[in-house]
Amino acid sequence: MTDAVSAVSAVPGVRRAMVARQRDIIGEGGIVVEGRDIGTTVAPDAPVKIFLTASAQTRASRRSVQDGRGDEAGQVASTRAEMARRDRADSTRVASPLHQPEDAVVIDSSAIGVDEVVAQILDRARQVVGE
């Protein structure tokens, strides 16, 4: 699925249909949505935008473990190469390319865990929403 998603997402007609469907689902908001073009294309007016990132090595290690490949150097290197190809494809496609929204808060999760990421996202949401 991961391999196919970039190729399919690069087809402008598919992207247009998916963006329209995603916007219908989002409606008036009040929903958390995740994706590579959500903050720039699907919901550019969203009040809270988070651009979550991590070092290439951290991302590859996490993905390799998540996919059940383990954290051996060879498996992580293979995962890192696959992720680099997808990042390159998604960043250079014509339809809805991956890039950081100018108004997004960047969270680098390279050295922090899930709980800290969630805490930072909630802090930002509370600042914007005023809770």
Side-chain angles (χ1 to χ4, degrees):
M1 182 59 135
T2 298
D3 293 340
V5 84
S6 287
V8 172
S9 294
V11 178
V14 170
R15 224 28 254 141
R16 280 191 302 276
M18 289 304 302
V19 168
R21 181 72 179 120
Q22 289 168 313
R23 286 179 176 163
D24 285 344
I25 291 168
I26 292 169
E28 295 298 314
I31 184 172
V32 175
V33 184
E34 164 293 305
R36 290 185 157 212
D37 67 345
I38 298 298
T40 55
T41 302
V42 177
D45 296 327
V48 178
K49 294 181 196 169
I50 306 294
F51 191 83
L52 185 62
T53 189
S55 70
Q57 186 62 30
T58 299
R59 290 176 59 220
S61 179
R62 288 173 179 166
R63 176 66 57 88
S64 186
V65 169
Q66 176 186 7
D67 289 349
R69 297 180 186 177
D71 61 357
E72 292 81 26
Q75 294 300 329
V76 173
S78 173
T79 300
R80 185 173 175 173
E82 291 169 12
M83 293 177 74
R85 278 192 297 278
R86 181 172 178 206
D87 289 348
R88 194 168 32 260
D90 289 353
S91 297
T92 59
R93 68 183 180 212
V94 173
S96 301
L98 162 67
H99 67 272
Q100 177 185 326
E102 292 180 16
D103 57 343
V105 171
V106 178
I107 298 176
D108 185 336
S109 69
S110 299
I112 61 175
V114 173
D115 291 342
E116 178 62 24
V117 170
V118 171
Q120 288 186 32
I121 292 170
L122 290 174
D123 285 347
R124 177 61 182 157
R126 287 182 186 112
Q127 289 173 8
V128 171
V129 176
E131 222 177 77

